[in-house]
Each structure stands twice: as structure tokens, then as C-alpha cells.
Amino acid sequence: MNTLTKRLWKCISYCFPFRKKIKQESLEKQPIEANSERETSYEVNSERETTIEANSERETSYEVNSERETTIEANSEIETSYEVNSERETTVEANSEIETSNEVNSERETTVEAKRKRETTTKAHRKRKAANKSKSTRKTAKKPNVSPERDKLYCDECVSRQKRCFEDQVKTSIVKKKVFWTDFKRSNDFERGLLSRGWVKKIAPTFNAGPKKTVFRDPTYGHKIISRYDIQPNLILTRQRIELHLLKEDQITNHFCRVHATSKSGLCKVLRQWCLSCDANPHTFFPRCYMFSKINEKQAFIDDFTMTAACGILKWVLRTNGKSLQDEVIPSRKEKEEKTAICMSDAKINNHGPARIVPEDIIVTALVACQFHLYDLTHEDEDDIICAGIVDRKHFISDYYQVMHHGAHIQNSDKYVDYCHQLLCKLRRVNPQLDIDGEKNIWISKPRNLSRGRGIRCRNDLKDICSLGREWVVEKYIERPLLVYGTKFDLRQHFLITDWYPLTIWFYKHSFLRFSSQPFTLESLDTATHVCNYAIQKKLKNAPNRHPNLPEENMWHSDEFKEYLCTIGKEQVWDSIIIPGMKKALIHTMKATRENVKYRKNSFDLFGSDFLFGENFQPWLLEIQYKPGITKDTSVMWKIVPPMVEDMLRVVIDYKDDPNCNVGGFELIYKQANYTGNVSRSAPNTRTDARHPGLGSYFTS
């Protein structure tokens, strides 16, 4: 058996060479004793096995041959399987290559589309992105935008060097008294101007905060320095009220106390006091106004309303018969009849029904009342004779409403044309507001404690106006304003006060116009038509029938207004009427206000004044704003605000050190002469006169 097994293993090793080594190792491991036993058994049975071996050899040969054939077949099958698998792999690789090429093409298409989209983005979107990126500040020090060559220089040593430089800058600014504090939310223009002058900003909740709450931050790299000492700012910019006793004498602040002219009721009171003690006439630049908080104010308003109605009747007679104060030509009878027919037809439309005829007694009553009023204005020593010509006030006002509100016609009005014309010409010489009154007798009511146009309404009914409470101020509405392309507007003019004793006023040369969103008409008393405040107009839609030359944002720069004046041939009125009139109004108003201001040196502030213009381009002051809003909401404000802030810093800071420095757009229009340095602390004169306009009952809103 041993020989057979050996032979079999030889055959197997020939067919399967990898098993030969294993078998040999296994044979070698057999013990020597087993080999000796097999040798002895082999010798004994050698004879018997010879025959068997011959047979077995034959069988093994056949088996070996069969095994060889099977192995050859198996190898061929394996080779074929390898070939099939290789073909499959090649097809899979080809498909994968195709897919990758498709993916590459799709990626290329997407990148091209993305590039196209990026190219089509607007510049405004990019600016907004840049602005948002600039607003996001890091807590750590920012790495400056430097070239790759200099990028290596930005390291810890550079950061420490920057910190040391900023610390030295803070120390130098403290020594030179160049530390400022502000609570403005949008004070980038102020900060930019001050930082360029070597100032540093104190970051603290209040201007007098202690060292633990005081921080100085580097605007370039963001480094912060916490103060270990009590450092007080030398310049304080705030919109809040400051207690002046908390300030040191050398601290500069933009705050004044008790500037009464910046309130609706306060300006009325100030002007009444001032007109009694000076030669200037405030009635030439302030519309008439009444405070209903005073007991005798409402009766004074009723007298004024009645007298304005009487003057309106005389104007109606002239207009209906084709004559005006500037026209001396008397029309023919035929022209007067045509004019009367037109008025009657208009009355049917406006009155929503047939026109009513009012007797001519209303003209006689109006003439008598105006004659007494003229005597009152020229003889100021006489009292209580204003409305002596109007006995039945209620009946007169009722007939007046029929003519003005409901389109009624007055009998035989042509007989009184000459009388009305002569009397109105005499009144015009002594009453500077006769031309702005009109015929409709419209008044504008304002809450005295509100701003930004809130609660303002136009009214023309005496009963409706008298029903208002004590918190209201009533002002005469300018019925004949200057229009631009048929639209009402007003003008915001800024000016700067740097001292009250001596009074020092700086006038800014640039201003802006605010337009109404609706065409002007007196048939409707809608706020959208008659109130030009931007806080109201920005919420409204512009009328579709407005002139196309009017701006969509309802705001013009003063340079655009001057260009418009050139187109209508009135370019000279800007320098000859408008600018001198505004300066005159501001100087007189600030003189009247000075007596009530709580004086402090090293104080300044910016004011905003609103003007409306009559048909003759004469400016009328409507209101004075204290700390006016200078937010850059429109393109016009972007042009005005940044240079105005820079020029204001020149006046407040640079002008102290160098009176010959460039002050930009500001002009010194008034500085009190012969100032001795003694500030008057006496109590203001509280005497008022609430008689009919002409004796001090005027106010700006």
C-alpha cells in the first residue's frame, strides 16, 4: 500500500503541484518506527503484492488519465470564464467611461449656466452683498486686505504692534482732548469726520460712564482697549436731553435747553413777546396762528375767521366781475354776464344742486367790517372795534358758506366792484398776509405735541375748528402757494447755532424740496394734497395724472429747483427774494428765542426750518425742527447729508483753531455786534396780545 500511495501522490503532485510539498512534509513527519514496520510488512507481503501491484498500476494509470482529462476540461472552463469576465469588465469600463464623460459635460453646462447667472446679477445686488459683508464684524482682530507677498507679515508680532500703535493713539487723543461719545444709531458720517481728525470714540452706555464700562475700539483692525481710568469725552453727540450740570465747562455738546421756538405753541408765544419789544414785523414771514390752550385765543380766532371771510367776499366780487388787485381794467357788461353764467354753472356742479341767490347785503356788511378793520390796523390805540360792522355774525357766516362752499351767487355784485377794489388796495398796504388768505378761508389744525405731520388736517368750517380741544394749534393756511408743475411743495433749510451770547447763526447753502403726491386743488382738503411732510408722502402713491417732470421720490435738490426757475424765466428770484427772505425770518426768530434759552458755552446744534412760498416767491416760515432727521432715505439726502456733516465739523471744531479755515457750505449770516459778555438772566416778558392779526397774534407751525 505504501508504494501505491506513493505513486498516487506522484500522480497527484504532477497534476496538482501545490499539494506535493504538503504531502512530503506530512510523510517526513511520520515516525521512524512506522516506517520500519511498513518495511518489514513490505518484505513479508512483497510476493503477494506483486500481482496486485500490476493490476493496481493498470487501474491507476486509467484513473490518472481520467483525472488528467478532467483537469484539462476544468482548466479550459476556467479560461473561458476568465475570458467572459474580462469581456464583461471591458464593457463595464466602457459604460463607466461614457457615464463619466456625460457627467463632465453636464458639469460643464452647469458651470456655464452659473457663470451666465453671475454675469446677469445687478450691481445693486453686489453692493448689498458688500455692505452686508462689511457690517459683519468679528470678535477677533481682522486680517487686512494685503497682497500675497505681504500676507506673511500678518502674524502675532504685527497684531501686537497694531495694538501698541492704537494704545499710543488713544493716549495721544486723551492728552489732546480728542475723545468723543455718541448715541446716534447712524453716525457713520460724524465718526468718519472725527476719526480723520485724530479723534477716538468712547464706547460706553452713557457719556459719563466709569472705567469698567468704557472701551476704545480700533476702527481698522478691531482691537479693543478697556480703560482703567475715568475718561470723560470732550465732544458729546446725542439726540437725548442732557442735564447741563453734569457737564464740565470744556465739554462740547450738541444740546440746548429751553429753545421754545422749536415747538408749535412755544414759537407763537415767543413771537408775541418779541413783536411788542422790537421794530420788526413778524407778520411779514409768519402766517397767523392761535393756541387753543389759552382762554382768550379761541375768541381771537373767531374774530380772525370772520374778518377773513369778509375780505374773501370782497375778493369774490372782484374775481366774479373779472377784476383783480393787479388789474385796473373794468370788463364790459357782456363779459360780466358771461362770467356770472360761468359761476352759476360751476355752482350747480360744486353745490350738488341748483344755485342759490344771496342778497347784496352780505357785500355791504363785508365792506363795513373791512373799513373798521382798516381803521383798527392804522390806529392801534383803539380796542374792540374789529367786528363792529358785523352785528349778526351767525347770519353772515351762513351766507358766506352759501357763496364759497355751495356756489351761490350774490345779487348786483357788479355795483360794488370799485368800492371793493379801493378798500382791498388800502388793506393790502397794511396787511402783508392779504394775498395768501384767498377766498375759501381754509385753516390748518395741528396737535401741538406731535411731529412728522401726524394729526394735521385742513378745515374751513368755523364750528368744526372751534370744537377742537386745548391741545391744538390753528394756523392760517396759505391758499395761494407757489406751485411746481401744478403741485404743492415746501423747502427744508438747515442752519446751525454755535452760540447764543453773542448770537451766532450759520446758514447752509444747500437745501431740498418736498413735493406732494397729488396735484394741488382747493376743492379737496385731503392731507395727501396739502401736507408735504416726507413721513406722510412716502406712504402714499403718486397720482397718475401728475406731471412727468416731477420726481418719483417726491424730493428735489435746491440746485434742481434753481434750474426750474431758469426754465420759467425767474432765475433771479432765488438770490434776490428767496434766500434773503429765509435769512431774515431765521435771524428774527432766533433773536426772539434767545431770551428764553438756558445759556451754556461750548454748545451747538443743527436746526431744520420749513418754508412755503407764495405766488410772488416770498418765503413763509412754517416750522422749526430741533435736531432734524438727516437719514439718507433718498438720493437727494445722500447728496446733502454727508457734506453737510463734514462742513458742520469744520465750523464746530476747525473754526475754533483757525477762523480762516474752509467752512464748506455754511455761511455766517449773523453774529451779534457790541457784545459785552453780560448774559441777561431776567425773566421773559409774558405779556401777550390775542387781538385780531395785526397786533401780534401770529405763529408758525
Side-chain angles (χ1 to χ4, degrees):
M1 287 295 293
N2 292 330
T3 57
L4 289 173
T5 55
K6 287 179 180 181
R7 290 177 180 177
L8 286 173
W9 276 109
K10 286 180 180 181
C11 293
I12 292 168
S13 64
Y14 177 80
C15 296
F16 303 94
F18 61 91
R19 291 183 174 267
K20 184 177 181 179
K21 187 176 181 180
I22 300 172
K23 184 62 182 177
Q24 288 176 357
E25 292 176 356
S26 62
L27 291 174
E28 290 175 357
K29 290 179 181 180
Q30 292 178 355
I32 298 171
E33 293 178 358
N35 292 331
S36 62
E37 288 178 358
R38 281 196 295 271
E39 289 177 357
T40 54
S41 63
Y42 177 73
E43 291 176 355
V44 175
N45 297 323
S46 60
E47 293 178 355
R48 294 178 182 176
E49 291 177 353
T50 52
T51 57
I52 295 169
E53 285 177 359
N55 295 326
S56 63
E57 285 177 0
R58 293 173 184 174
E59 291 176 358
T60 53
S61 64
Y62 287 119
E63 289 176 358
V64 168
N65 293 327
S66 62
E67 287 177 358
R68 287 178 180 175
E69 291 177 357
T70 54
T71 54
I72 291 167
E73 291 177 357
N75 291 328
S76 63
E77 289 178 358
I78 291 167
E79 290 176 356
T80 55
S81 65
Y82 281 134
E83 291 176 357
V84 171
N85 292 329
S86 64
E87 290 178 357
R88 288 179 181 175
E89 289 176 356
T90 54
T91 54
V92 170
E93 289 177 357
N95 293 327
S96 64
E97 289 178 357
I98 293 167
E99 290 176 356
T100 54
S101 64
N102 292 330
E103 290 177 357
V104 170
N105 293 329
S106 63
E107 288 178 356
R108 288 177 180 175
E109 292 176 356
T110 53
T111 54
V112 170
E113 291 178 356
K115 287 181 180 179
R116 289 176 181 174
K117 289 181 180 179
R118 285 196 295 270
E119 289 175 357
T120 54
T121 54
T122 58
K123 291 182 179 180
H125 181 65
R126 292 173 183 170
K127 288 182 179 179
R128 286 195 296 271
K129 274 188 169 182
N132 293 332
K133 287 182 181 179
S134 63
K135 286 181 182 178
S136 60
T137 57
R138 298 179 182 178
K139 292 183 178 180
T140 58
K142 290 185 178 180
K143 186 175 180 178
N145 294 325
V146 295
S147 62
E149 297 177 356
R150 297 181 59 192
D151 191 31
K152 298 178 180 179
L153 298 176
Y154 189 82
C155 56
D156 295 338
E157 294 181 0
C158 297
V159 173
S160 60
R161 190 183 304 113
Q162 292 164 5
K163 288 182 179 179
R164 289 195 299 270
C165 292
F166 182 62
E167 289 177 359
D168 295 339
Q169 181 185 354
V170 172
K171 292 177 182 178
T172 305
S173 300
I174 293 172
V175 173
K176 293 183 178 181
K177 297 183 178 181
K178 289 187 175 182
V179 180
F180 74 95
W181 177 89
T182 178
D183 61 355
F184 290 166
K185 294 181 179 179
R186 300 178 181 179
S187 59
N188 292 333
D189 296 321
F190 284 101
E191 290 185 12
R192 191 181 301 110
L194 291 170
L195 293 174
S196 65
R197 289 169 169 81
W199 289 64
V200 293
K201 181 181 179 181
K202 175 182 177 179
I203 302 175
T206 59
F207 74 92
N208 56 353
K212 294 182 180 180
K213 298 181 180 180
T214 299
V215 177
F216 295 96
R217 188 174 68 86
D218 188 353
T220 306
Y221 299 100
H223 306 312
K224 291 184 179 180
I225 298 175
I226 300 175
S227 175
R228 291 178 293 178
Y229 306 98
D230 185 11
I231 300 173
Q232 294 300 316
N234 307 103
L235 175 62
I236 301 169
L237 300 173
T238 178
R239 293 190 65 87
Q240 307 298 327
R241 181 175 178 176
I242 297 179
E243 297 296 335
L244 298 182
H245 67 274
L246 299 176
L247 299 176
K248 299 179 181 178
E249 292 184 0
D250 60 343
Q251 285 182 309
I252 305 172
T253 181
N254 64 327
H255 183 71
F256 293 121
C257 286
R258 296 190 310 192
V259 185
H260 292 172
T262 57
S263 67
K264 296 177 176 64
S265 57
L267 183 56
C268 178
K269 183 178 180 180
V270 164
L271 291 175
R272 289 180 180 177
Q273 297 169 2
W274 180 69
C275 71
L276 297 175
S277 59
C278 68
D279 297 332
N281 184 8
H283 314 146
T284 58
F285 48 82
F286 289 99
R288 308 188 299 277
C289 189
Y290 297 92
M291 299 179 295
F292 281 7
S293 58
K294 303 292 182 179
I295 298 175
N296 56 349
E297 288 283 291
K298 191 167 289 189
Q299 183 58 46
F301 164 73
I302 294 172
D303 293 341
D304 193 349
F305 186 93
T306 306
M307 187 54 55
T308 306
C311 294
I313 292 294
L314 302 188
K315 293 177 183 178
W316 183 93
V317 171
L318 294 182
R319 180 180 59 83
T320 304
N321 292 275
K323 190 163 183 169
S324 65
L325 291 177
Q326 292 81 15
D327 187 12
E328 299 293 338
V329 179
I330 299 177
S332 63
R333 182 179 295 275
K334 183 179 179 180
E335 291 175 345
K336 288 189 288 185
E337 290 176 355
E338 291 176 355
K339 188 70 176 180
T340 302
I342 293 173
C343 292
M344 295 289 286
S345 62
D346 291 341
K348 293 180 181 179
I349 297 173
N350 297 331
N351 190 32
H352 312 289
R356 176 173 173 261
I357 302 297
V358 176
E360 59 186 283
D361 294 343
I362 188 174
I363 300 177
V364 176
T365 304
L367 285 170
V368 174
C370 289
Q371 187 64 47
F372 276 103
H373 180 45
L374 177 63
Y375 184 84
D376 182 27
L377 293 176
T378 54
H379 300 78
E380 297 183 358
D381 294 335
E382 302 291 336
D383 295 332
D384 301 327
I385 62 172
I386 298 171
C387 297
I390 301 178
V391 178
D392 191 353
R393 188 197 305 271
K394 186 176 181 180
H395 181 70
F396 173 78
I397 293 296
S398 178
D399 288 343
Y400 170 78
Y401 288 159
Q402 290 294 325
V403 175
M404 298 299 173
H405 298 177
H406 306 295
H409 188 68
I410 303 175
Q411 286 181 339
N412 302 323
S413 62
D414 55 342
K415 297 191 303 182
Y416 301 94
V417 172
D418 293 336
Y419 297 106
C420 294
H421 183 269
Q422 293 175 7
L423 188 53
L424 286 175
C425 288
K426 294 178 181 179
L427 284 171
R428 193 181 185 188
R429 298 189 190 102
V430 294
N431 184 6
Q433 299 189 15
L434 185 66
D435 290 336
I436 67 172
D437 284 346
E439 303 173 12
K440 300 290 186 178
N441 209 354
I442 300 174
W443 295 73
I444 186 166
S445 58
K446 303 179 181 182
R448 67 177 186 177
N449 294 325
L450 295 181
S451 60
R452 298 182 180 180
R454 292 173 293 177
I456 295 178
R457 282 189 57 189
C458 292
R459 308 169 190 263
N460 59 358
D461 185 86
L462 180 61
K463 186 177 180 181
D464 182 24
I465 298 173
C466 291
S467 64
L468 298 174
R470 295 172 57 87
E471 299 300 320
W472 290 83
V473 173
V474 180
E475 176 191 274
K476 183 64 187 75
Y477 182 73
I478 299 176
E479 299 182 28
R480 298 176 62 183
L482 178 66
L483 305 178
V484 172
Y485 298 119
T487 305
K488 184 184 175 183
F489 70 94
D490 63 11
L491 183 142
R492 169 63 62 87
Q493 177 64 54
H494 292 98
F495 64 99
L496 182 68
I497 301 291
T498 55
D499 204 342
W500 290 100
Y501 292 94
L503 178 60
T504 308
I505 305 174
W506 299 81
F507 185 88
Y508 196 61
K509 65 179 181 180
H510 297 298
S511 54
F512 61 91
L513 279 67
R514 304 178 297 185
F515 288 92
S516 171
S517 59
Q518 310 298 320
F520 180 76
T521 178
L522 292 178
E523 299 301 326
S524 172
L525 300 182
D526 189 15
T527 303
T529 303
H530 301 282
V531 180
C532 300
N533 195 294
Y534 181 73
I536 293 177
Q537 295 297 333
K538 69 179 181 181
K539 301 176 183 178
L540 304 174
K541 292 183 178 181
N542 294 334
N545 58 340
R546 288 207 325 166
H547 197 280
N549 290 343
L550 291 172
E552 287 294 328
E553 57 187 7
N554 293 323
M555 197 172 287
W556 258 5
H557 194 279
S558 56
D559 292 339
E560 296 176 280
F561 180 55
K562 288 189 281 187
E563 292 177 1
Y564 168 78
L565 294 176
C566 292
T567 59
I568 62 175
K570 298 292 184 181
E571 60 274 7
Q572 74 281 357
V573 300
W574 178 261
D575 294 324
S576 61
I577 299 176
I578 294 177
I579 293 297
M582 291 193 295
K583 291 179 179 179
K584 172 188 172 184
L586 295 178
I587 291 171
H588 289 322
T589 306
M590 292 300 102
K591 283 183 177 181
T593 308
R594 178 180 54 182
E595 300 297 331
N596 301 293
V597 176
K598 187 176 181 181
Y599 177 70
R600 179 189 179 274
K601 205 73 175 176
N602 289 325
S603 294
F604 73 98
D605 214 339
L606 184 71
F607 296 83
S609 54
D610 296 336
F611 285 92
L612 194 68
F613 303 99
E615 291 179 334
N616 57 354
F617 302 98
Q618 180 185 354
W620 294 90
L621 181 61
L622 303 180
E623 187 174 344
I624 294 180
Q625 293 283 345
Y626 183 51
K627 299 183 184 296
I630 52 175
T631 55
K632 293 171 283 191
D633 297 331
T634 63
S635 60
V636 176
M637 295 301 290
W638 272 99
K639 294 178 183 178
I640 292 179
V641 173
M644 183 178 67
V645 171
E646 175 63 23
D647 295 341
M648 187 164 58
L649 293 176
R650 291 176 179 176
V651 173
V652 175
I653 297 174
D654 301 343
Y655 186 78
K656 283 189 173 183
D657 300 329
D658 182 12
N660 297 321
C661 70
N662 180 21
V663 293
F666 279 102
E667 176 190 358
L668 181 61
I669 61 172
Y670 183 80
K671 187 169 185 178
Q672 183 182 1
N674 300 325
Y675 172 67
T676 59
N678 296 323
V679 180
S680 176
R681 300 292 184 181
S682 59
N685 184 9
T686 58
R687 175 175 169 241
T688 60
D689 191 344
R691 295 200 308 155
H692 186 269
L695 294 179
S697 54
Y698 295 83
F699 171 61
T700 63
S701 77

